[in-house]
């Protein structure tokens, strides 16, 4: 099932991590919370899979925002350097652009 990974999100899930960072920045003391590589003290992020009638849950306290931030920094550095290499495991639309 395509949604299988969404039902068990990893602590460094990029999408949920970005949302958690935004919540901490907008509604919490973002600087203090993010400095500890955590977001809000309570709550969770969720993926809702309506087709399966299920959801994946990732508590804020278990998120690894240091890893999420590292992914973001790596992507930004690559964009600024003009590095747009295709992932070697690509089997989707990105295969259209070749190596």
């Amino acid at each position: 099932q395509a949604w299988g990974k969404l039902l068990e999100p990893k602590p460094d899930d990029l999408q949920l991590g970005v949302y958690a960072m935004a919540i901490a920045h907008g509604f919490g003391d973002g600087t203090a919370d993010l400095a500890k590589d955590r977001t809000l003290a309570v709550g969770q992020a969720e993926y809702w899979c309506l087709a399966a009638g299920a959801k994946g849950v990732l508590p804020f306290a278990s998120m690894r925002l240091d890893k999420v931030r590292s992914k973001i920094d790596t992507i930004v550095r690559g964009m600024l350097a003009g590095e747009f290499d295709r992932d070697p495991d690509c089997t989707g639309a990105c295969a259209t652009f070749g190596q």
Side-chain angles (χ1 to χ4, degrees):
Q1 304 284 344
W3 56 78
K5 291 194 304 186
L6 300 178
L7 298 179
E8 296 180 13
K10 295 181 180 177
D12 64 339
D13 184 277
L14 185 60
Q15 183 174 346
L16 295 181
V18 168
Y19 294 161
M21 291 169 75
I23 290 169
H25 179 75
F27 297 105
D29 180 6
T31 54
D33 293 331
L34 294 177
K36 295 183 262 180
D37 297 323
R38 295 284 185 246
T39 59
L40 305 173
V42 296
Q44 62 193 24
E46 301 174 346
Y47 282 121
W48 286 67
C49 302
L50 300 179
K55 67 180 176 180
V57 177
L58 183 58
F60 290 141
S62 68
M63 289 185 171
R64 288 295 310 269
L65 292 186
D66 56 328
K67 290 188 176 189
V68 171
R69 184 60 197 218
S70 178
K71 287 180 186 180
I72 293 168
D73 291 346
T74 299
I75 292 166
V76 169
R77 277 194 300 276
M79 292 169 69
L80 292 173
E83 298 170 358
F84 301 103
D85 296 331
R86 179 177 68 134
D87 187 323
D89 297 329
C90 173
T91 58
C94 60
T96 304
F97 301 107
Q99 300 285 8

